[in-house]
Every structure is written in C-alpha cells, then in structure tokens.
Amino acid sequence: MTREETGRDLEVRPQKMRRWVVVAAVVVLAAHIFAALVLRGGGDTGVNLRFVDQIAILAIGIMLTGGVLLFTRPRLRAGAEGVSVRNVVAERHIPWTDVRGLFFDHGAPWARLELPFDEYVPVVAIQARDGELAVNALERFRELESYYTGGAVRRDDDGGAVRGDD
C-alpha cells in the first residue's frame, strides 16, 4: 500500500505465516464439514447423531477457523504519528519519542520494538522466516525512525539502540 492509501510511511505484514494460516484454516473447516457429513450415518455403532449434532460440529469448525484466522492480523505501521503494532489480538500505538529501535534477538522468530526502561513490544509482522522482506522492513523502519526522531537514536557497538538524550 502507498502512503496515500494508508496515511502512513510503512506498513508491514508477514507473508509466509499468512499463507500457512489460510491453509490451516481451510483444513480445519474442511475437516469439520467432512465430520459433520460422515458422522450422521452411524450405522450399527450405537452412536445416535442427529441433525443438531451435525450443526454443532460445523459451528465448532467455524469458530476454530475464526480463531486460526486471527493469526493473519499482525501488522506494523509507522508514520508521522508514531508506530502502531498489531499482533494477534491487540493493537498498540507508540509515539516516536518512546521508540528506542527495532531489533531481532539472536534466534528470535520475529522482531521486537524497544521502548524505554527495558520494555519491548513483540512485532509479529516482521518475521525472520520472511527473509529479504524482513530485512527491507527493518531498513525502512530505521530510515523512518531516524527521520522522525531527528537522528536521536544511534546504535552502540553491539547493535543496540541508544538515544542521544540517554
């Protein structure tokens, strides 16, 4: 998306995870539809499933599919107002004055946004498994961070963020 469409300078969503989540959601729903159709004809098993039971199995499948699809929500937006991080459920807005950097811990599956007082916010939208997309997102974020903070964030020797006023 462009800045004109979103009103932001950067918007990132995970790519590979979204594909796998959609496949998983389809499998979960298909399994429940199949179970609802097949379990009706119990034969001589002693199980007596009715139409209402089929509807219940289908409803459970729809709810589980919705739960799985929550994992398509992660997003990072960065613009003049600050940074918005939406993970699976909640969204958090952080002004640029509180941002200390965006990093990957060694072996971490996704990035984390550093905040004052050793706090951090996991950024599920930027995942290591996305490879080049994640690298480009980090570089673009750091450009925006430098622009909006006026270069107040600098890197120490081990790559950590140190604010000029700290």
Side-chain angles (χ1 to χ4, degrees), residues 12 69 78 87 110 144:
V12 181
L69 287 174
N87 289 324
W110 46 72
L144 292 172

Side-chain angles (χ1 to χ4, degrees), residues 51-65:
F51 181 71
V52 138
D53 299 318
Q54 287 178 303
I55 298 297
I57 291 171
L58 188 59
I60 290 170
I62 290 170
M63 288 189 297
L64 288 175
T65 300

Side-chain angles (χ1 to χ4, degrees), residues 108-140:
W110 46 72
R112 67 189 228 173
L113 188 64
E114 299 284 337
L115 303 175
F117 308 112
D118 294 328
E119 283 187 83
Y120 69 90
V121 176
V123 181
V124 180
I126 301 177
Q127 298 196 356
R129 70 179 66 135
D130 282 336
E132 194 65 32
L133 180 71
V135 171
N136 293 338
L138 273 164
E139 289 174 356
R140 181 70 180 128

Side-chain angles (χ1 to χ4, degrees), residues 74-118:
R75 177 186 69 203
L76 170 94
R77 284 183 173 173
E81 315 81 43
V83 181
S84 292
V85 177
R86 181 174 72 190
N87 289 324
V88 175
V89 178
E91 185 165 1
R92 184 170 175 188
H93 180 77
I94 299 118
W96 282 111
T97 55
D98 290 342
V99 174
R100 301 292 189 259
L102 183 67
F103 305 98
F104 272 98
D105 278 343
H106 181 71
W110 46 72
R112 67 189 228 173
L113 188 64
E114 299 284 337
L115 303 175
F117 308 112
D118 294 328

Side-chain angles (χ1 to χ4, degrees), residues 32-57:
H32 280 82
I33 290 171
F34 178 76
L37 294 174
V38 170
L39 290 179
R40 176 68 186 233
D44 294 332
T45 63
V47 177
N48 186 15
L49 293 175
R50 291 183 236 142
F51 181 71
V52 138
D53 299 318
Q54 287 178 303
I55 298 297
I57 291 171

